Amino acid sequence: MSSTSTKYTLLDDGEEKSELPSSRKHRALRLSLLKQFYQVLLHLIVIVLIVIVRQSMARPALPACLLPSELPLAADAIRYETVVFDPSGFSSGNEKPNAFEGSPSPATNAAWAQLCDVGMFVLNAEEYKRLGRPTAELVDRPGEYLVTLEVMHQLHCLDYLRIASYAAAEGKHTHHEQENDWSKAKHLSHCINYLRQVLMCHGDLTPITLERKKGLPPYRPDFRITHTCRNWDRIHEFASSRNTSGYGIA
């Protein structure tokens, strides 16, 4: 039998030392690339989180949906927005009055009239079925039914009180001259109690903050409060598009 012998070649010290630094360089390069990858990944995660937080803060505080008592077909008219209220009569003096402030005049009356220019509007037969409660049918247009949106009647009542209260404050005994005294008294009573019910029904829980001031009382309300509101233009546009009955606010 023949025997085989294994030969081993020994590396000299120079060859061994030359391979060790090369291996270390590869490991260091891999670690460096891995570190850079995780840094990029971390930055991407931070950017995504910032975008998510900003989007969540920009979303409306309330869902854009109808309340159970509201008109079903008005759902698409609802959009929420952030609105800072005017301080109105309690401003610091630097702000100009808005179009709705001040005693009745051609300008203020025109502004209010534009708010209240949608009267009874029309539902077709299919929409009337979705309404879920009875309402009057147009006498000369069978299959068409009448409704008035609450917000339009609420603004109508507020406008009535505006005119009556300024007349009383200015010592005038005449307002709404087309009405007799009995009708005026009934109208005033209706609007005051009606708006009381509206305010209590909606129960706005937005906090009014306070400022320190000299003198007594030491605090005053800051009426520049941020609110989450339904976009009025969309609601008015929806109502105006159906304002075809020819009748004013009931």
Side-chain angles (χ1 to χ4, degrees), residues 99-146:
F100 305 100
E101 290 186 70
S103 300
S105 68
T108 56
N109 290 346
W112 280 91
Q114 191 173 14
L115 289 180
C116 309
D117 63 354
V118 177
M120 305 181 205
F121 71 79
V122 176
L123 304 179
N124 61 35
E126 184 61 32
E127 292 165 346
Y128 172 61
K129 291 178 182 177
R130 295 175 60 196
L131 185 64
R133 53 185 180 271
T135 190
E137 187 177 17
L138 271 166
V139 175
D140 55 345
R141 288 152 62 180
E144 295 187 359
Y145 301 84
L146 293 172

mmCIF file of all heavy atoms in Angstrom, residues 99-146:
data_model
loop_
_atom_site.group_PDB
_atom_site.id
_atom_site.type_symbol
_atom_site.label_atom_id
_atom_site.label_comp_id
_atom_site.label_asym_id
_atom_site.label_seq_id
_atom_site.Cartn_x
_atom_site.Cartn_y
_atom_site.Cartn_z
ATOM 1 N N ALA A 99 -69.639 93.449 8.704
ATOM 2 C CA ALA A 99 -70.800 93.911 7.933
ATOM 3 C C ALA A 99 -72.115 93.759 8.680
ATOM 4 O O ALA A 99 -73.112 94.397 8.321
ATOM 5 C CB ALA A 99 -70.871 93.154 6.607
ATOM 6 N N PHE A 100 -72.136 92.920 9.731
ATOM 7 C CA PHE A 100 -73.389 92.621 10.426
ATOM 8 C C PHE A 100 -73.561 93.438 11.712
ATOM 9 O O PHE A 100 -74.577 93.329 12.377
ATOM 10 C CB PHE A 100 -73.447 91.131 10.751
ATOM 11 C CG PHE A 100 -73.257 90.256 9.546
ATOM 12 C CD1 PHE A 100 -72.027 89.675 9.291
ATOM 13 C CD2 PHE A 100 -74.288 90.038 8.658
ATOM 14 C CE1 PHE A 100 -71.840 88.876 8.170
ATOM 15 C CE2 PHE A 100 -74.114 89.251 7.529
ATOM 16 C CZ PHE A 100 -72.881 88.673 7.289
ATOM 17 N N GLU A 101 -72.576 94.224 12.068
ATOM 18 C CA GLU A 101 -72.639 95.005 13.309
ATOM 19 C C GLU A 101 -73.232 96.384 13.075
ATOM 20 O O GLU A 101 -73.200 96.917 11.967
ATOM 21 C CB GLU A 101 -71.229 95.181 13.884
ATOM 22 C CG GLU A 101 -70.611 93.924 14.452
ATOM 23 C CD GLU A 101 -69.289 94.218 15.122
ATOM 24 O OE1 GLU A 101 -69.298 94.852 16.193
ATOM 25 O OE2 GLU A 101 -68.242 93.826 14.569
ATOM 26 N N GLY A 102 -73.742 96.962 14.170
ATOM 27 C CA GLY A 102 -74.205 98.333 14.127
ATOM 28 C C GLY A 102 -75.701 98.466 13.901
ATOM 29 O O GLY A 102 -76.407 97.500 13.611
ATOM 30 N N SER A 103 -76.172 99.682 14.058
ATOM 31 C CA SER A 103 -77.594 99.975 13.890
ATOM 32 C C SER A 103 -78.056 99.641 12.480
ATOM 33 O O SER A 103 -77.261 99.659 11.538
ATOM 34 C CB SER A 103 -77.854 101.463 14.172
ATOM 35 O OG SER A 103 -77.474 101.800 15.494
ATOM 36 N N PRO A 104 -79.341 99.335 12.329
ATOM 37 C CA PRO A 104 -79.866 99.074 10.989
ATOM 38 C C PRO A 104 -79.571 100.219 10.035
ATOM 39 O O PRO A 104 -79.767 101.385 10.359
ATOM 40 C CB PRO A 104 -81.369 98.913 11.236
ATOM 41 C CG PRO A 104 -81.464 98.422 12.645
ATOM 42 C CD PRO A 104 -80.360 99.128 13.381
ATOM 43 N N SER A 105 -79.073 99.870 8.885
ATOM 44 C CA SER A 105 -78.746 100.835 7.837
ATOM 45 C C SER A 105 -78.866 100.091 6.513
ATOM 46 O O SER A 105 -78.972 98.863 6.501
ATOM 47 C CB SER A 105 -77.317 101.367 8.024
ATOM 48 O OG SER A 105 -76.374 100.333 7.772
ATOM 49 N N PRO A 106 -78.859 100.802 5.399
ATOM 50 C CA PRO A 106 -78.914 100.073 4.125
ATOM 51 C C PRO A 106 -77.831 99.016 3.990
ATOM 52 O O PRO A 106 -78.080 97.928 3.469
ATOM 53 C CB PRO A 106 -78.745 101.203 3.093
ATOM 54 C CG PRO A 106 -79.315 102.408 3.765
ATOM 55 C CD PRO A 106 -78.953 102.272 5.215
ATOM 56 N N ALA A 107 -76.613 99.298 4.490
ATOM 57 C CA ALA A 107 -75.504 98.344 4.354
ATOM 58 C C ALA A 107 -75.696 97.124 5.258
ATOM 59 O O ALA A 107 -75.562 95.980 4.816
ATOM 60 C CB ALA A 107 -74.177 99.030 4.667
ATOM 61 N N THR A 108 -76.007 97.366 6.553
ATOM 62 C CA THR A 108 -76.180 96.231 7.459
ATOM 63 C C THR A 108 -77.428 95.428 7.108
ATOM 64 O O THR A 108 -77.425 94.193 7.190
ATOM 65 C CB THR A 108 -76.252 96.695 8.927
ATOM 66 O OG1 THR A 108 -77.316 97.655 9.076
ATOM 67 C CG2 THR A 108 -74.946 97.329 9.372
ATOM 68 N N ASN A 109 -78.491 96.124 6.708
ATOM 69 C CA ASN A 109 -79.709 95.408 6.327
ATOM 70 C C ASN A 109 -79.471 94.513 5.114
ATOM 71 O O ASN A 109 -79.993 93.396 5.033
ATOM 72 C CB ASN A 109 -80.834 96.402 6.024
ATOM 73 C CG ASN A 109 -81.339 97.102 7.283
ATOM 74 O OD1 ASN A 109 -81.048 96.670 8.403
ATOM 75 N ND2 ASN A 109 -82.068 98.185 7.107
ATOM 76 N N ALA A 110 -78.655 94.991 4.170
ATOM 77 C CA ALA A 110 -78.350 94.187 2.982
ATOM 78 C C ALA A 110 -77.546 92.947 3.355
ATOM 79 O O ALA A 110 -77.758 91.860 2.809
ATOM 80 C CB ALA A 110 -77.588 95.034 1.967
ATOM 81 N N ALA A 111 -76.606 93.105 4.298
ATOM 82 C CA ALA A 111 -75.796 91.960 4.733
ATOM 83 C C ALA A 111 -76.666 90.898 5.393
ATOM 84 O O ALA A 111 -76.526 89.693 5.116
ATOM 85 C CB ALA A 111 -74.700 92.427 5.691
ATOM 86 N N TRP A 112 -77.572 91.329 6.256
ATOM 87 C CA TRP A 112 -78.465 90.381 6.925
ATOM 88 C C TRP A 112 -79.449 89.752 5.943
ATOM 89 O O TRP A 112 -79.766 88.568 6.051
ATOM 90 C CB TRP A 112 -79.202 91.072 8.066
ATOM 91 C CG TRP A 112 -78.366 91.185 9.301
ATOM 92 C CD1 TRP A 112 -77.543 92.210 9.657
ATOM 93 C CD2 TRP A 112 -78.256 90.201 10.324
ATOM 94 N NE1 TRP A 112 -76.926 91.931 10.839
ATOM 95 C CE2 TRP A 112 -77.340 90.703 11.280
ATOM 96 C CE3 TRP A 112 -78.832 88.960 10.544
ATOM 97 C CZ2 TRP A 112 -76.997 90.003 12.432
ATOM 98 C CZ3 TRP A 112 -78.500 88.251 11.688
ATOM 99 C CH2 TRP A 112 -77.592 88.773 12.621
ATOM 100 N N ALA A 113 -79.935 90.549 4.998
ATOM 101 C CA ALA A 113 -80.879 90.016 4.009
ATOM 102 C C ALA A 113 -80.239 88.906 3.187
ATOM 103 O O ALA A 113 -80.901 87.929 2.813
ATOM 104 C CB ALA A 113 -81.376 91.141 3.105
ATOM 105 N N GLN A 114 -78.943 89.028 2.917
ATOM 106 C CA GLN A 114 -78.255 87.998 2.143
ATOM 107 C C GLN A 114 -78.150 86.694 2.929
ATOM 108 O O GLN A 114 -78.173 85.601 2.343
ATOM 109 C CB GLN A 114 -76.865 88.492 1.748
ATOM 110 C CG GLN A 114 -76.172 87.608 0.730
ATOM 111 C CD GLN A 114 -74.874 88.205 0.238
ATOM 112 O OE1 GLN A 114 -74.345 89.153 0.824
ATOM 113 N NE2 GLN A 114 -74.346 87.653 -0.839
ATOM 114 N N LEU A 115 -78.033 86.786 4.255
ATOM 115 C CA LEU A 115 -78.003 85.578 5.083
ATOM 116 C C LEU A 115 -79.352 84.867 5.071
ATOM 117 O O LEU A 115 -79.419 83.637 5.128
ATOM 118 C CB LEU A 115 -77.639 85.932 6.533
ATOM 119 C CG LEU A 115 -76.208 86.358 6.838
ATOM 120 C CD1 LEU A 115 -76.084 86.653 8.331
ATOM 121 C CD2 LEU A 115 -75.210 85.297 6.421
ATOM 122 N N CYS A 116 -80.406 85.645 5.031
ATOM 123 C CA CYS A 116 -81.756 85.100 5.203
ATOM 124 C C CYS A 116 -82.527 85.023 3.889
ATOM 125 O O CYS A 116 -83.767 85.104 3.891
ATOM 126 C CB CYS A 116 -82.538 85.961 6.199
ATOM 127 S SG CYS A 116 -81.706 86.277 7.765
ATOM 128 N N ASP A 117 -81.827 84.880 2.776
ATOM 129 C CA ASP A 117 -82.512 84.969 1.486
ATOM 130 C C ASP A 117 -83.029 83.633 0.969
ATOM 131 O O ASP A 117 -83.536 83.565 -0.153
ATOM 132 C CB ASP A 117 -81.582 85.601 0.446
ATOM 133 C CG ASP A 117 -80.330 84.768 0.175
ATOM 134 O OD1 ASP A 117 -80.124 83.758 0.863
ATOM 135 O OD2 ASP A 117 -79.543 85.152 -0.723
ATOM 136 N N VAL A 118 -82.896 82.574 1.742
ATOM 137 C CA VAL A 118 -83.426 81.269 1.321
ATOM 138 C C VAL A 118 -84.685 80.972 2.118
ATOM 139 O O VAL A 118 -84.656 80.893 3.345
ATOM 140 C CB VAL A 118 -82.386 80.148 1.532
ATOM 141 C CG1 VAL A 118 -82.993 78.794 1.162
ATOM 142 C CG2 VAL A 118 -81.143 80.411 0.706
ATOM 143 N N GLY A 119 -85.791 80.826 1.426
ATOM 144 C CA GLY A 119 -87.053 80.544 2.097
ATOM 145 C C GLY A 119 -87.365 79.060 2.113
ATOM 146 O O GLY A 119 -86.489 78.223 2.314
ATOM 147 N N MET A 120 -88.626 78.725 1.887
ATOM 148 C CA MET A 120 -89.007 77.314 1.802
ATOM 149 C C MET A 120 -88.445 76.724 0.518
ATOM 150 O O MET A 120 -88.580 77.327 -0.547
ATOM 151 C CB MET A 120 -90.528 77.182 1.776
ATOM 152 C CG MET A 120 -91.239 77.829 2.925
ATOM 153 S SD MET A 120 -93.032 77.571 2.789
ATOM 154 C CE MET A 120 -93.622 78.977 3.708
ATOM 155 N N PHE A 121 -87.793 75.572 0.619
ATOM 156 C CA PHE A 121 -87.310 74.966 -0.618
ATOM 157 C C PHE A 121 -87.942 73.604 -0.833
ATOM 158 O O PHE A 121 -88.649 73.074 0.019
ATOM 159 C CB PHE A 121 -85.782 74.965 -0.708
ATOM 160 C CG PHE A 121 -85.057 74.028 0.211
ATOM 161 C CD1 PHE A 121 -84.956 72.682 -0.060
ATOM 162 C CD2 PHE A 121 -84.435 74.523 1.340
ATOM 163 C CE1 PHE A 121 -84.259 71.837 0.774
ATOM 164 C CE2 PHE A 121 -83.724 73.686 2.179
ATOM 165 C CZ PHE A 121 -83.647 72.328 1.897
ATOM 166 N N VAL A 122 -87.698 73.058 -2.006
ATOM 167 C CA VAL A 122 -88.518 71.973 -2.538
ATOM 168 C C VAL A 122 -87.813 70.625 -2.455
ATOM 169 O O VAL A 122 -86.625 70.500 -2.742
ATOM 170 C CB VAL A 122 -88.882 72.276 -4.017
ATOM 171 C CG1 VAL A 122 -89.647 71.126 -4.632
ATOM 172 C CG2 VAL A 122 -89.692 73.567 -4.101
ATOM 173 N N LEU A 123 -88.587 69.600 -2.052
ATOM 174 C CA LEU A 123 -88.158 68.203 -2.112
ATOM 175 C C LEU A 123 -89.000 67.484 -3.159
ATOM 176 O O LEU A 123 -90.210 67.732 -3.257
ATOM 177 C CB LEU A 123 -88.352 67.506 -0.762
ATOM 178 C CG LEU A 123 -87.686 68.098 0.478
ATOM 179 C CD1 LEU A 123 -88.043 67.260 1.699
ATOM 180 C CD2 LEU A 123 -86.190 68.189 0.305
ATOM 181 N N ASN A 124 -88.369 66.607 -3.915
ATOM 182 C CA ASN A 124 -89.157 65.785 -4.825
ATOM 183 C C ASN A 124 -89.748 64.596 -4.066
ATOM 184 O O ASN A 124 -89.498 64.424 -2.857
ATOM 185 C CB ASN A 124 -88.330 65.331 -6.037
ATOM 186 C CG ASN A 124 -87.122 64.477 -5.638
ATOM 187 O OD1 ASN A 124 -87.184 63.693 -4.687
ATOM 188 N ND2 ASN A 124 -86.024 64.638 -6.370
ATOM 189 N N ALA A 125 -90.500 63.759 -4.736
ATOM 190 C CA ALA A 125 -91.218 62.673 -4.065
ATOM 191 C C ALA A 125 -90.271 61.687 -3.388
ATOM 192 O O ALA A 125 -90.524 61.222 -2.269
ATOM 193 C CB ALA A 125 -92.106 61.944 -5.074
ATOM 194 N N GLU A 126 -89.165 61.346 -4.046
ATOM 195 C CA GLU A 126 -88.205 60.403 -3.475
ATOM 196 C C GLU A 126 -87.528 60.989 -2.243
ATOM 197 O O GLU A 126 -87.341 60.323 -1.219
ATOM 198 C CB GLU A 126 -87.148 60.029 -4.531
ATOM 199 C CG GLU A 126 -86.156 58.981 -4.068
ATOM 200 C CD GLU A 126 -86.815 57.661 -3.697
ATOM 201 O OE1 GLU A 126 -87.841 57.309 -4.313
ATOM 202 O OE2 GLU A 126 -86.297 56.987 -2.776
ATOM 203 N N GLU A 127 -87.168 62.263 -2.307
ATOM 204 C CA GLU A 127 -86.545 62.937 -1.162
ATOM 205 C C GLU A 127 -87.526 63.069 -0.005
ATOM 206 O O GLU A 127 -87.146 62.972 1.167
ATOM 207 C CB GLU A 127 -86.036 64.307 -1.598
ATOM 208 C CG GLU A 127 -84.860 64.225 -2.569
ATOM 209 C CD GLU A 127 -84.588 65.535 -3.283
ATOM 210 O OE1 GLU A 127 -85.459 66.433 -3.239
ATOM 211 O OE2 GLU A 127 -83.505 65.667 -3.891
ATOM 212 N N TYR A 128 -88.788 63.297 -0.354
ATOM 213 C CA TYR A 128 -89.819 63.388 0.687
ATOM 214 C C TYR A 128 -89.958 62.072 1.447
ATOM 215 O O TYR A 128 -90.132 62.070 2.670
ATOM 216 C CB TYR A 128 -91.153 63.774 0.047
ATOM 217 C CG TYR A 128 -92.323 63.718 0.984
ATOM 218 C CD1 TYR A 128 -92.362 64.513 2.123
ATOM 219 C CD2 TYR A 128 -93.398 62.868 0.734
ATOM 220 C CE1 TYR A 128 -93.445 64.461 2.993
ATOM 221 C CE2 TYR A 128 -94.485 62.809 1.593
ATOM 222 C CZ TYR A 128 -94.493 63.615 2.726
ATOM 223 O OH TYR A 128 -95.562 63.547 3.585
ATOM 224 N N LYS A 129 -89.844 60.947 0.759
ATOM 225 C CA LYS A 129 -89.906 59.648 1.438
ATOM 226 C C LYS A 129 -88.779 59.495 2.446
ATOM 227 O O LYS A 129 -88.955 58.939 3.530
ATOM 228 C CB LYS A 129 -89.845 58.508 0.416
ATOM 229 C CG LYS A 129 -91.082 58.378 -0.456
ATOM 230 C CD LYS A 129 -90.914 57.249 -1.473
ATOM 231 C CE LYS A 129 -92.123 57.140 -2.398
ATOM 232 N NZ LYS A 129 -91.927 56.089 -3.437
ATOM 233 N N ARG A 130 -87.602 59.999 2.104
ATOM 234 C CA ARG A 130 -86.443 59.910 2.994
ATOM 235 C C ARG A 130 -86.554 60.853 4.180
ATOM 236 O O ARG A 130 -85.854 60.675 5.185
ATOM 237 C CB ARG A 130 -85.163 60.220 2.222
ATOM 238 C CG ARG A 130 -84.814 59.211 1.136
ATOM 239 C CD ARG A 130 -83.599 59.658 0.355
ATOM 240 N NE ARG A 130 -82.432 59.815 1.204
ATOM 241 C CZ ARG A 130 -81.335 60.480 0.862
ATOM 242 N NH1 ARG A 130 -81.263 61.061 -0.340
ATOM 243 N NH2 ARG A 130 -80.313 60.579 1.690
ATOM 244 N N LEU A 131 -87.426 61.850 4.073
ATOM 245 C CA LEU A 131 -87.575 62.827 5.150
ATOM 246 C C LEU A 131 -88.053 62.172 6.436
ATOM 247 O O LEU A 131 -87.630 62.539 7.531
ATOM 248 C CB LEU A 131 -88.542 63.934 4.712
ATOM 249 C CG LEU A 131 -88.733 65.104 5.672
ATOM 250 C CD1 LEU A 131 -87.426 65.871 5.840
ATOM 251 C CD2 LEU A 131 -89.829 66.041 5.139
ATOM 252 N N GLY A 132 -88.971 61.219 6.312
ATOM 253 C CA GLY A 132 -89.413 60.465 7.486
ATOM 254 C C GLY A 132 -90.489 61.122 8.318
ATOM 255 O O GLY A 132 -90.868 60.605 9.376
ATOM 256 N N ARG A 133 -91.012 62.247 7.878
ATOM 257 C CA ARG A 133 -92.121 62.896 8.587
ATOM 258 C C ARG A 133 -92.902 63.744 7.584
ATOM 259 O O ARG A 133 -92.353 64.174 6.571
ATOM 260 C CB ARG A 133 -91.622 63.742 9.763
ATOM 261 C CG ARG A 133 -90.558 64.757 9.433
ATOM 262 C CD ARG A 133 -90.083 65.423 10.718
ATOM 263 N NE ARG A 133 -89.045 66.413 10.480
ATOM 264 C CZ ARG A 133 -87.744 66.142 10.453
ATOM 265 N NH1 ARG A 133 -87.328 64.890 10.609
ATOM 266 N NH2 ARG A 133 -86.863 67.092 10.260
ATOM 267 N N PRO A 134 -94.174 64.011 7.879
ATOM 268 C CA PRO A 134 -95.008 64.702 6.885
ATOM 269 C C PRO A 134 -94.663 66.179 6.764
ATOM 270 O O PRO A 134 -94.218 66.820 7.718
ATOM 271 C CB PRO A 134 -96.422 64.511 7.432
ATOM 272 C CG PRO A 134 -96.242 64.292 8.904
ATOM 273 C CD PRO A 134 -94.947 63.587 9.063
ATOM 274 N N THR A 135 -94.868 66.711 5.573
ATOM 275 C CA THR A 135 -94.753 68.148 5.330
ATOM 276 C C THR A 135 -95.692 68.517 4.187
ATOM 277 O O THR A 135 -96.184 67.630 3.469
ATOM 278 C CB THR A 135 -93.300 68.548 4.998
ATOM 279 O OG1 THR A 135 -93.180 69.976 4.995
ATOM 280 C CG2 THR A 135 -92.857 68.004 3.641
ATOM 281 N N ALA A 136 -95.950 69.799 4.022
ATOM 282 C CA ALA A 136 -96.952 70.245 3.050
ATOM 283 C C ALA A 136 -96.475 70.055 1.620
ATOM 284 O O ALA A 136 -95.295 70.231 1.296
ATOM 285 C CB ALA A 136 -97.289 71.715 3.300
ATOM 286 N N GLU A 137 -97.428 69.692 0.756
ATOM 287 C CA GLU A 137 -97.180 69.589 -0.673
ATOM 288 C C GLU A 137 -97.545 70.915 -1.333
ATOM 289 O O GLU A 137 -98.503 71.583 -0.931
ATOM 290 C CB GLU A 137 -98.016 68.461 -1.263
ATOM 291 C CG GLU A 137 -97.734 68.147 -2.716
ATOM 292 C CD GLU A 137 -98.550 66.953 -3.203
ATOM 293 O OE1 GLU A 137 -99.553 66.596 -2.528
ATOM 294 O OE2 GLU A 137 -98.199 66.376 -4.251
ATOM 295 N N LEU A 138 -96.750 71.331 -2.319
ATOM 296 C CA LEU A 138 -97.068 72.549 -3.044
ATOM 297 C C LEU A 138 -98.433 72.411 -3.714
ATOM 298 O O LEU A 138 -98.709 71.410 -4.390
ATOM 299 C CB LEU A 138 -96.004 72.826 -4.103
ATOM 300 C CG LEU A 138 -94.802 73.664 -3.663
ATOM 301 C CD1 LEU A 138 -93.677 73.571 -4.687
ATOM 302 C CD2 LEU A 138 -95.209 75.114 -3.465
ATOM 303 N N VAL A 139 -99.277 73.414 -3.530
ATOM 304 C CA VAL A 139 -100.650 73.334 -4.019
ATOM 305 C C VAL A 139 -100.695 73.191 -5.534
ATOM 306 O O VAL A 139 -101.438 72.359 -6.076
ATOM 307 C CB VAL A 139 -101.442 74.595 -3.583
ATOM 308 C CG1 VAL A 139 -102.835 74.592 -4.193
ATOM 309 C CG2 VAL A 139 -101.517 74.680 -2.063
ATOM 310 N N ASP A 140 -99.905 73.992 -6.225
ATOM 311 C CA ASP A 140 -99.966 74.005 -7.685
ATOM 312 C C ASP A 140 -98.900 73.124 -8.343
ATOM 313 O O ASP A 140 -98.771 73.115 -9.567
ATOM 314 C CB ASP A 140 -99.842 75.448 -8.200
ATOM 315 C CG ASP A 140 -98.584 76.125 -7.675
ATOM 316 O OD1 ASP A 140 -97.975 75.601 -6.716
ATOM 317 O OD2 ASP A 140 -98.202 77.178 -8.216
ATOM 318 N N ARG A 141 -98.135 72.374 -7.524
ATOM 319 C CA ARG A 141 -97.092 71.512 -8.075
ATOM 320 C C ARG A 141 -97.114 70.167 -7.362
ATOM 321 O O ARG A 141 -96.316 69.917 -6.446
ATOM 322 C CB ARG A 141 -95.714 72.186 -7.952
ATOM 323 C CG ARG A 141 -95.552 73.351 -8.916
ATOM 324 C CD ARG A 141 -94.592 74.414 -8.445
ATOM 325 N NE ARG A 141 -93.226 73.936 -8.259
ATOM 326 C CZ ARG A 141 -92.233 74.724 -7.854
ATOM 327 N NH1 ARG A 141 -92.469 76.007 -7.606
ATOM 328 N NH2 ARG A 141 -91.031 74.236 -7.704
ATOM 329 N N PRO A 142 -98.030 69.286 -7.739
ATOM 330 C CA PRO A 142 -98.135 67.976 -7.078
ATOM 331 C C PRO A 142 -96.822 67.200 -7.178
ATOM 332 O O PRO A 142 -96.118 67.253 -8.182
ATOM 333 C CB PRO A 142 -99.257 67.282 -7.867
ATOM 334 C CG PRO A 142 -100.035 68.393 -8.499
ATOM 335 C CD PRO A 142 -99.038 69.472 -8.789
ATOM 336 N N GLY A 143 -96.504 66.487 -6.098
ATOM 337 C CA GLY A 143 -95.270 65.704 -6.066
ATOM 338 C C GLY A 143 -94.058 66.481 -5.597
ATOM 339 O O GLY A 143 -92.954 65.939 -5.567
ATOM 340 N N GLU A 144 -94.256 67.757 -5.234
ATOM 341 C CA GLU A 144 -93.167 68.571 -4.679
ATOM 342 C C GLU A 144 -93.568 69.032 -3.285
ATOM 343 O O GLU A 144 -94.713 69.447 -3.061
ATOM 344 C CB GLU A 144 -92.860 69.765 -5.591
ATOM 345 C CG GLU A 144 -92.323 69.352 -6.956
ATOM 346 C CD GLU A 144 -91.869 70.543 -7.782
ATOM 347 O OE1 GLU A 144 -91.986 71.686 -7.303
ATOM 348 O OE2 GLU A 144 -91.383 70.329 -8.908
ATOM 349 N N TYR A 145 -92.622 68.978 -2.368
ATOM 350 C CA TYR A 145 -92.918 69.188 -0.947
ATOM 351 C C TYR A 145 -92.009 70.272 -0.375
ATOM 352 O O TYR A 145 -90.874 70.463 -0.823
ATOM 353 C CB TYR A 145 -92.755 67.878 -0.189
ATOM 354 C CG TYR A 145 -93.649 66.773 -0.706
ATOM 355 C CD1 TYR A 145 -93.269 65.998 -1.792
ATOM 356 C CD2 TYR A 145 -94.888 66.534 -0.122
ATOM 357 C CE1 TYR A 145 -94.099 65.006 -2.289
ATOM 358 C CE2 TYR A 145 -95.733 65.539 -0.605
ATOM 359 C CZ TYR A 145 -95.327 64.779 -1.701
ATOM 360 O OH TYR A 145 -96.169 63.793 -2.186
ATOM 361 N N LEU A 146 -92.516 70.965 0.642
ATOM 362 C CA LEU A 146 -91.834 72.144 1.185
ATOM 363 C C LEU A 146 -91.153 71.859 2.527
ATOM 364 O O LEU A 146 -91.727 71.201 3.395
ATOM 365 C CB LEU A 146 -92.828 73.288 1.370
ATOM 366 C CG LEU A 146 -93.433 73.886 0.102
ATOM 367 C CD1 LEU A 146 -94.544 74.860 0.472
ATOM 368 C CD2 LEU A 146 -92.368 74.579 -0.722
#
